[in-house]
Amino acid sequence: MSRFRIVGIIFDHMHMGDLLRMVDEHPEAEIAGIFDPDRSRMQAAIDAFGIPEDRVFTDFEACMAAGPYDMALLCVATANHAEYTEKLAAHDLHVFVEKPFAASVGDARRMITAMEPTGKQLIINWPLRWVESHVTAKHLIDEGLIGELREVHFYDGNRGPLYHLADKVEVSPEEVERQKSQSWWYKKAAGGGALLDYMGYGATLGTWYMNGEAPLEVTCTVDETPGIEVDQHAIAICRFAKGLSKLETRWGTFTDPWTTQPQPTCGFVFVGTDGTIASPDYASHVTVQTRARPERHEIPVRPLPEGERNAIEYVLSCIDRGAQVEGPLSPELCLTAQRIVDTAVLSASEKRTMGLVP
């Protein structure tokens, strides 16, 4: 029997398939159960990983009764993150939430509160945390290469959330348009929209790069497309005590960054007191300027170390060592980022600059 029994809860997010693959490939983990009220949404995973029928459930309580499990992977629609975290908290297991953290600061605090008395960890996964270029940039910033970090510029997104299934299997444009009217991604009440889907990446990793510093205020605007009730493009300016940072997120990039980098380039640019770093998504190098060497030059990315090569490997390593997850996976850091996202939502709604929500 594997040391870690993992259960997958709800297949609203296409990343569930990617996470289950990481579990399947981990030498000490197993897919001990999966649950979704709609069996058809689990079928691709059942086929891909050979999940036995006695581990496939369309009833939540039956799924949990078949435990115990060591950790749940939660890929439910954003608006339901808090509800399902509260349900899972009663079952003595770690809860791994696929991004974003929550639909609101209030929901995020509900999730933290639910898990606090359990002695188990609440973990928020942001896949960009496992991109070598962005981790390399973090190391270089922490090593003081560009002095004190003053600005974080983030532009990211993809063609849209319905264009890809697990393992980045592509969906035709015609099928994407057919699905839009029914998909939770395009429903405001379900937590849809590009701002909630992607700005958390920039806010969360940005807070990581800034060593936890929070902005004083946020100004945000979003597109308003007729016939679409959620935003597909959002730009937020965050004012910190010592500078401005920009977080821009887009459903509708010209190409997907994991296949062909679009323009604008998806990723981060960092400006410090003594230099700059450009870290594109999935790049083989970062581009640097420093006072000593002001011309742009490339620094190869550092491979992710064993134990931190993907989210599942890292989290199970932490659990095995009795260590708390850190950085962008930490609910404390993610709560600061959620406050940034909530303030951006409020600013866009009221069309004015807002102080950071408490």
Side-chain angles (χ1 to χ4, degrees):
M1 179 178 289
S2 299
R3 293 183 60 204
F4 299 103
R5 290 170 48 82
I6 312 299
V7 61
I9 303 296
I10 304 288
F11 283 63
D12 283 341
H13 202 303
M14 76 290 291
H15 288 181
M16 177 64 90
D18 303 322
L19 295 169
L20 291 175
R21 183 170 299 283
M22 294 175 202
V23 172
D24 187 62
E25 293 174 350
H26 194 287
E28 296 187 324
E30 65 177 314
I31 303 169
I34 56 174
F35 158 71
D36 193 289
D38 182 351
R39 183 194 162 88
S40 67
R41 301 205 300 177
M42 299 185 283
Q43 194 60 52
I46 294 167
D47 295 341
F49 309 117
I51 301 173
E53 281 301 314
D54 63 358
R55 297 188 178 194
V56 177
F57 300 90
T58 56
D59 179 86
F60 177 77
E61 296 302 334
C63 177
M64 301 315 295
Y69 307 107
D70 296 292
M71 184 168 74
L73 307 178
L74 184 59
C75 287
V76 71
T78 306
N80 298 323
H81 280 193
E83 174 192 354
Y84 268 92
T85 298
E86 290 171 340
K87 286 182 176 182
L88 290 165
H91 292 277
D92 190 38
L93 76 178
H94 302 282
V95 177
F96 178 112
V97 180
E98 186 67 351
K99 67 89 187 171
F101 189 174
S104 67
V105 168
D107 278 7
R109 289 197 168 107
R110 280 176 58 191
M111 294 162 71
I112 292 171
T113 298
M115 292 298 295
E116 277 177 345
T118 70
K120 301 295 184 178
Q121 294 198 56
L122 175 63
I123 300 144
I124 319 303
N125 183 50
W126 300 90
L128 287 185
R129 161 61 179 86
W130 314 106
V131 172
E132 290 179 333
S133 54
H134 301 332
V135 178
T136 298
K138 172 63 172 169
H139 289 312
L140 295 174
I141 292 167
D142 288 350
E143 290 164 6
L145 181 66
I146 62 171
E148 183 182 358
L149 182 61
R150 293 291 178 84
E151 303 173 28
V152 176
H153 298 262
F154 173 75
Y155 176 89
D156 223 313
N158 51 46
R159 285 181 297 159
L162 300 179
Y163 277 90
H164 342 92
L165 305 175
D167 297 323
K168 299 296 188 283
V169 174
E170 295 208 358
V171 175
S172 71
E174 295 76 20
E175 179 63 12
V176 168
E177 291 304 316
R178 188 190 70 78
Q179 291 183 21
K180 276 187 179 181
S181 63
Q182 300 300 318
S183 172
W184 75 267
W185 293 101
Y186 287 85
K187 296 184 184 302
K188 186 174 292 186
L195 196 164
L196 282 180
D197 177 35
Y198 246 90
M199 191 171 287
Y201 272 122
T204 305
L205 271 73
T207 301
W208 185 44
Y209 292 119
M210 297 287 280
N211 290 325
E213 183 180 354
L216 304 174
E217 60 186 27
V218 177
T219 308
C220 182
T221 189
V222 300
D223 71 316
E224 297 178 5
T225 303
I228 301 291
E229 66 177 71
V230 298
D231 65 279
Q232 300 178 95
H233 192 180
I235 302 174
I237 305 299
C238 300
R239 184 173 72 83
F240 289 82
K242 294 184 178 179
L244 301 178
S245 290
K246 178 175 71 69
L247 310 176
E248 182 173 0
T249 181
R250 182 77 170 100
W251 284 351
T253 55
F254 191 71
T255 52
D256 291 315
W258 52 82
T259 54
T260 304
Q261 260 289 4
Q263 296 187 120
T265 300
C266 288
F268 291 88
V269 176
F270 308 97
V271 179
T273 54
D274 296 313
T276 70
I277 299 173
S279 176
D281 289 353
Y282 316 111
S284 61
H285 63 272
V286 297
T287 302
V288 175
Q289 296 173 289
T290 63
R291 298 286 183 203
R293 191 177 175 185
E295 74 278 7
R296 295 186 183 189
H297 56 282
E298 296 178 356
I299 295 179
V301 300
R302 303 177 186 180
L304 299 180
E306 186 174 353
E308 296 186 25
R309 292 170 298 187
N310 63 52
I312 296 298
E313 182 179 87
Y314 170 71
V315 169
L316 295 185
S317 173
C318 287
I319 293 170
D320 189 40
R321 294 181 286 110
Q324 295 291 310
V325 297
E326 297 180 342
L329 284 78
S330 160
E332 290 76 21
L333 186 147
C334 288
L335 183 60
T336 296
Q338 187 70 51
R339 292 169 62 204
I340 294 171
V341 171
D342 274 34
T343 310
V345 171
L346 187 60
S347 171
S349 175
E350 300 202 5
K351 299 186 183 298
R352 63 188 179 95
T353 300
M354 306 295 297
L356 190 67
V357 300

